[in-house]
Amino acid sequence: MSRQDGGTPGTPETHDDGAATGASTGAPAGARRGRPRSEGVERAVFDAVVGLLDEGVPLAELSIERIARTAGVGKATIYRRWTGKEELFVDLLRSVEPPDPVLPGTSVRGDLVVLLESLRERGVAKRTSSLLHNVFAQMQLYPRLWEVYQHSVIEPRRRLGLDTVRRGMERGEIRDDLDIEFVNDLLTGPLLLRTVIRPGASLEPGLAERVVDTVMEGLRPRD
């Protein structure tokens, strides 16, 4: 992915991670990329992006240089953490979206309910968070960001659903004469319809269980 504004990781900068925000440069355990992360710097960068969006700056006009200037850090500080602004935006979305679910593994039905409940919670979050609503509304006008989000967030979640359906077929809880992707679409379709196509439709608690139980009734192996 190309870098924005001509910045490179080796560019000298006038702010180090601690000086920019007054935060320690110690990194939390499990940082995803090579260099340790400063929570203070990450928060300052995220706050800068949110502030610029709140001011009405379109995503396409948010350059790394402008974000760095607003956050009070150097461009190289940002590039040490993200390869470009698309990856930065995806991390920002992850920070405000509900976390990915941890499947209990006790039954395929239970795992499916957890997956669909996570989808329901994301739908509710998109309705109640002005940031999520703003960014997702602009994604269709910013295909590079959508491509990164699709690859790094949506596809792993989708694979989790497909793996759960496949496990249900192997355990005899779901008919094995059906296409796995088709079954996954049957399960996730009602939640996506109420989130995307009918954004005013109810996303009430208990919806995940109702969808799973209704669909599973037709997916059980035949005698």
Side-chain angles (χ1 to χ4, degrees):
M1 187 179 297
S2 61
R3 298 186 183 279
Q4 308 294 321
D5 309 314
T8 63
T11 303
E13 59 181 311
T14 57
H15 302 78
D16 62 24
D17 287 0
T21 65
S24 166
T25 56
R32 284 193 298 275
R33 277 169 279 278
R35 286 185 71 97
R37 285 191 170 214
S38 162
E39 291 290 341
V41 170
E42 184 172 284
R43 188 70 262 160
V45 172
F46 285 171
D47 287 347
V49 174
V50 172
L52 290 167
L53 289 171
D54 285 344
E55 292 173 8
V57 180
L59 279 174
E61 295 179 15
L62 282 181
S63 65
I64 291 293
E65 182 175 10
R66 186 169 187 177
I67 294 169
R69 185 170 61 249
T70 304
V73 302
K75 288 193 294 182
T77 297
I78 294 179
Y79 282 128
R80 280 200 294 267
R81 291 159 174 78
W82 300 281
T83 60
K85 65 180 185 178
E86 291 83 11
E87 190 181 67
L88 189 164
F89 293 158
V90 168
D91 265 5
L92 172 60
L93 288 174
R94 279 175 165 159
S95 75
V96 294
E97 282 189 315
D100 289 340
V102 177
L103 302 185
T106 53
S107 70
V108 170
R109 177 196 176 275
D111 288 350
L112 288 172
V113 169
V114 169
L115 285 171
L116 264 63
E117 174 62 16
S118 174
L119 189 59
R120 186 191 73 84
E121 290 174 354
R122 289 191 198 101
V124 172
K126 288 174 186 176
R127 293 181 181 182
T128 57
S129 167
S130 58
L131 171 64
L132 288 174
H133 182 78
N134 186 355
V135 173
F136 277 95
Q138 294 190 55
M139 270 190 177
Q140 55 190 313
L141 304 176
Y142 193 177
R144 287 180 61 190
L145 173 57
W146 176 247
E147 181 182 353
V148 174
Y149 187 79
Q150 179 83 18
H151 176 73
S152 62
V153 178
I154 293 180
E155 279 303 315
R157 291 171 180 168
R158 180 172 170 275
R159 285 196 298 270
L160 195 59
L162 294 173
D163 289 343
T164 302
V165 171
R166 185 179 293 108
R167 190 165 64 254
M169 291 181 174
E170 292 170 352
R171 293 181 178 180
E173 296 180 51
I174 296 175
R175 288 168 49 190
D176 60 4
D177 61 331
L178 299 172
D179 178 75
I180 292 175
E181 292 202 16
F182 175 70
V183 172
N184 189 58
D185 289 346
L186 286 176
L187 289 160
T188 59
L191 277 298
L192 293 175
L193 183 145
R194 293 190 180 205
T195 301
V196 180
I197 300 177
R198 295 175 54 207
S202 175
L203 288 171
E204 72 279 2
L207 178 61
E209 289 93 336
R210 188 149 55 92
V211 170
V212 170
D213 288 340
T214 301
V215 176
M216 288 287 286
E217 185 66 30
L219 295 179
R220 290 194 181 96
R222 297 169 176 168
D223 296 331

